[in-house]
Amino acid sequence: MRNLNFNHLRYFWAVAHEGSLTRAATRLNLSQSALSVQIQKLEHQVGHPLFDRIGRKLILTEAGQIALDYADTVFRAGDELMSTLDGRAVDRRQVLRVGALTTLSRNFQLEFLGPLVGRSDVELIVRSGNIRDLLAQLEAHAVDVVLANSAAPLDARSSLRNHLLNEQPVSLVGRPRPDGRRFKFPDDLRTEPVLLPSLDSDIRLAFDRVLELAGIRPTILAEVDDMAMLRLLAREREGVTLVPPIVVRDELASGLLVEHCRIPEVTERFYAIVKTRRFPNRLLADVLDRP
């Protein structure tokens, strides 16, 4: 049975949190060469490289991220021991790091994280960004899963995997019409102004194709790449707004907005993108393996 050297683990923990061998050596009052030897001994002991050395940068490998999570737990446990003996409360939690596309529906994100929200043993870290930055973080093991409304591009060598979570209809929503008239799609778009997602959106492109086939060029009030902002504008502006109903679920339930019509053959897909790992975060099963 292999026994872990906790001095080596402490040195690794310091380097991982400092992100620099130089800063960690200064903090630990060691030479860089001595600290490097200690890290190498730990890597030999656990049987995996813990850092990728790219120039002067140290980037955690998958095993390194797992080791850091456990090291955080180990040294947090020491703090908890002292807290317990001092009569203070302790907190033991697992961590799930989620990257979410900036433009993604907040309601969808909340639905995805629902099984973990409110659990006292779970800490959720949610980071927003564009898809390129989020996938880079996923590759670097800085997040455990990326939520997006388009699949990650894959090839035969890719270690990424796309999980299709849901497929939602896309609708035109707006304030209730004072005269009670039913919305006639697509003809009413010849006169009714519309709020649209930006051209970066798959649903916008699909919607434009539908209108092009119908020979309609609508009056566009605004093009917005943030679903949260599109939701606010739908509540405040006249005209109709192109959104998946989940985005304005609360407004539809309250009657502030109504669903005028669903757009035929236009849907939005929601994906969870993960990286194939030898040591997957166990919390992922709670949000991915649901009926």
Side-chain angles (χ1 to χ4, degrees):
M1 180 177 177
R2 292 181 296 174
N3 293 317
L4 184 66
N5 186 311
F6 284 89
N7 284 329
H8 296 163
L9 187 65
R10 172 72 75 172
Y11 295 143
F12 159 76
W13 183 72
V15 172
H17 277 288
E18 290 291 343
S20 162
L21 200 65
T22 301
R23 290 195 298 270
T26 300
R27 171 180 163 185
L28 296 168
N29 197 27
L30 292 172
S31 68
Q32 289 187 47
S33 59
L35 184 55
S36 180
V37 168
Q38 301 304 311
I39 299 300
Q40 290 171 16
K41 287 182 178 179
L42 180 62
E43 290 178 323
H44 178 74
Q45 192 173 26
V46 301
H48 297 279
L50 301 176
F51 294 102
D52 282 328
R53 293 159 176 83
I54 303 175
R56 296 183 178 181
K57 291 185 178 180
L58 294 178
I59 308 298
L60 285 170
T61 63
E62 179 186 353
Q65 183 63 61
I66 297 296
L68 180 59
D69 288 342
Y70 276 97
D72 284 338
T73 301
V74 167
F75 297 123
R76 188 185 303 121
D79 293 337
E80 290 172 358
L81 171 62
M82 299 307 296
S83 295
T84 299
L85 295 179
D86 288 342
R88 293 179 280 127
V90 298
D91 181 23
R92 296 179 181 176
R93 292 180 291 176
Q94 305 171 73
V95 177
L96 182 69
R97 300 174 181 85
V98 180
L101 198 65
T102 304
T103 58
L104 202 63
S105 162
R106 305 300 189 267
N107 285 337
F108 166 71
Q109 294 180 46
L110 190 59
E111 277 193 6
F112 175 78
L113 297 172
L116 304 179
V117 172
R119 279 181 48 173
S120 59
D121 63 328
V122 172
E123 178 183 354
L124 293 172
I125 299 174
V126 181
R127 299 167 179 162
S128 297
N130 62 56
I131 191 65
R132 183 172 63 180
D133 290 345
L134 292 176
L135 292 181
Q137 291 183 50
L138 185 62
E139 291 282 8
H141 315 293
V143 296
D144 301 301
V145 59
V146 170
L147 301 180
N149 51 14
S150 59
L154 305 178
D155 57 36
R157 295 178 297 175
S158 177
S159 62
L160 300 182
R161 296 292 179 267
N162 295 306
H163 292 260
L164 178 60
L165 300 174
N166 205 345
E167 188 170 6
Q168 296 279 343
V170 176
S171 302
L172 287 172
V173 305
R175 295 177 181 177
R177 286 183 160 187
D179 57 11
R181 287 186 303 110
R182 293 184 61 185
F183 190 91
K184 296 180 181 180
F185 179 82
D187 291 339
D188 280 1
L189 288 174
R190 298 183 191 277
T191 56
E192 189 91 14
V194 62
L195 292 157
L196 296 173
S198 71
L199 289 169
D200 293 332
S201 165
D202 290 343
I203 63 174
R204 167 64 186 282
L205 296 177
F207 180 73
D208 284 353
R209 285 195 294 270
V210 171
L211 293 193
E212 184 177 357
L213 290 174
I216 294 174
R217 299 186 66 179
T219 300
I220 300 174
L221 290 175
E223 296 178 336
V224 183
D225 64 3
D226 186 331
M227 283 294 173
M229 178 58 71
L230 201 58
R231 173 188 179 187
L232 293 176
L233 290 174
R235 294 164 50 176
E236 301 297 330
R237 299 291 298 270
E238 299 294 338
V240 293
T241 302
L242 182 73
V243 289
I246 190 174
V247 174
V248 290
R249 180 179 56 195
D250 296 340
E251 288 78 7
L252 293 175
S254 69
L256 179 63
L257 297 175
V258 296
E259 185 179 16
H260 290 305
C261 69
R262 294 197 172 179
I263 310 303
E265 301 179 5
V266 178
T267 60
E268 181 167 40
R269 294 182 173 186
F270 298 100
Y271 292 89
I273 306 168
V274 299
K275 181 178 173 65
T276 301
R277 294 181 177 178
R278 295 183 61 184
F279 314 104
N281 189 315
R282 295 178 182 178
L283 291 174
L284 282 175
D286 295 335
V287 289
L288 291 179
D289 300 338
R290 288 191 285 167

